[in-house]
Amino acid sequence: MLEIRDLEFKYPDGTPVFEGFNWEVLRGEAWAVLGPSGCGKTTLLYLLAGLLQPTAGAVLVEGKILERPRPRTGLILQDYGLLPWATVAENARLGLKVRAFYGPDGRHAPRNESFAADEENVPVWLDRLGLLALKDQYPSQLSGGQRQRTAIARTLILKPDLLLMDEPFASLDVPTRESLQDLILRLRLTHDLTTVIVTHTIEEAAILGQRILVLLEPPIHTTRVIENPSAGDPGFRNSEAYQHTTAKLRAALEIRS
């Protein structure tokens, strides 16, 4: 589904981040991208989203070079990206309003899109994410977990096939974070999503990534992948496989306990 070919990317000041980098994500895979601050994780995610363009090389989605954001890619950010003057329901349907403005042109919205049917799905998704009773409240009235659920609802209402996440749970308390991690695991399975989450947390990478891309100091040349096929299995958090994966990730990051 995703393919990066001989990617080069430099910051405006000329600092190289990726040089000759290659990577592939197959449809339905669950990836985590793990690394320390400043290693290029978010830059990579923005390249996958079409928000940044390579200095050289190419990013392809479904065999086509990505030149701009695509309608079927969902992006969830750490700061939620909610409009403070809009209610939960209004924030959730924001993407639909943007798509309706452009119409099903294939660039801003998928062709043959049924906007009326998607609009009917707004209360369905709010109910599924435990937000229906809060639909008339504003972001300032919500907890961090409720705001993030609203951002997730807004994204999934648009029926993405690729879900990109930039440290979406970093600012949440542990119970809320684990609840939302479990939610993403369920949604991936029930909606056939391809997922890529950027995180600096070893434990989160192990929970959400069946394959984990480890990035170290830029410029990044090589692809280092840790296989973690048991991620998402019932009881994985308390399993030996989980402990084994976190140990491998610590070794990959050269962290000593």
Side-chain angles (χ1 to χ4, degrees):
M1 183 176 196
L2 284 173
E3 185 180 0
I4 289 180
R5 295 180 183 170
D6 299 322
L7 176 70
E8 292 187 14
F9 183 83
K10 297 179 180 179
Y11 290 133
D13 65 0
T15 302
V17 185
F18 294 97
E19 290 182 345
F21 181 72
N22 293 278
W23 184 42
E24 184 176 14
V25 174
L26 301 181
R27 179 173 290 279
E29 288 188 327
W31 280 84
V33 180
L34 175 68
S37 298
C39 70
K41 303 186 303 295
T42 296
T43 297
L44 177 61
L45 199 76
Y46 285 7
L47 286 162
L48 298 180
L51 297 174
L52 293 175
Q53 290 298 313
T55 308
V59 176
L60 294 88
V61 181
E62 296 186 322
K64 298 179 180 179
I65 293 178
L66 185 66
E67 298 178 337
R68 53 175 290 124
R70 62 188 284 272
R72 288 293 188 206
T73 296
L75 179 62
I76 298 176
L77 304 174
Q78 180 178 346
D79 64 359
Y80 318 127
L82 302 180
L83 302 179
W85 57 84
T87 65
V88 166
E90 290 167 342
N91 269 293
R93 62 170 55 95
L94 179 61
L96 294 177
K97 292 182 66 175
V98 173
R99 285 188 173 181
F101 175 81
Y102 288 103
D105 59 1
R107 289 169 58 83
H108 306 88
R111 298 190 186 280
N112 303 316
E113 185 79 3
S114 174
F115 297 114
D118 288 340
E119 180 68 27
E120 293 174 359
N121 280 332
V122 172
V124 174
W125 273 109
L126 293 181
D127 185 42
R128 187 174 298 178
L129 295 176
L131 295 167
L132 193 57
L134 306 173
K135 64 183 178 66
D136 295 322
Q137 295 195 20
Y138 294 88
S140 62
Q141 299 172 290
L142 305 178
S143 68
Q146 290 166 340
R147 289 195 292 271
Q148 192 58 281
R149 284 178 183 268
T150 303
I152 292 171
R154 180 184 58 198
T155 301
L156 295 180
I157 285 166
L158 299 176
K159 297 183 293 190
D161 56 7
L162 172 63
L163 185 60
L164 307 176
M165 296 167 279
D166 187 14
E167 304 205 44
F169 314 131
S171 61
L172 303 177
D173 59 78
V174 172
T176 302
R177 182 165 63 245
E178 291 188 357
S179 173
L180 289 176
Q181 289 169 350
D182 291 341
L183 172 66
I184 291 298
L185 289 171
R186 293 195 301 272
L187 291 172
R188 187 184 70 80
L189 292 175
T190 57
H191 294 274
D192 193 29
L193 287 169
T194 304
T195 57
V196 180
I197 182 169
V198 157
T199 181
H200 66 274
T201 305
I202 287 173
E203 292 76 14
E204 184 161 78
I207 291 297
L208 294 179
Q210 291 182 327
R211 307 189 75 189
I212 302 166
L213 175 66
V214 178
L215 303 182
L216 297 175
E217 292 298 317
I220 307 295
H221 302 277
T222 59
T223 305
R224 183 166 190 179
V225 176
I226 303 297
E227 301 292 345
N228 183 36
S230 298
D233 289 354
F236 179 68
R237 291 182 192 273
N238 300 314
S239 69
E240 289 186 11
Y242 170 76
Q243 297 296 334
H244 181 63
T245 295
T246 56
K248 289 175 68 175
L249 292 174
R250 287 183 179 278
L253 294 172
E254 299 179 344
I255 297 175
R256 293 175 175 81
S257 58

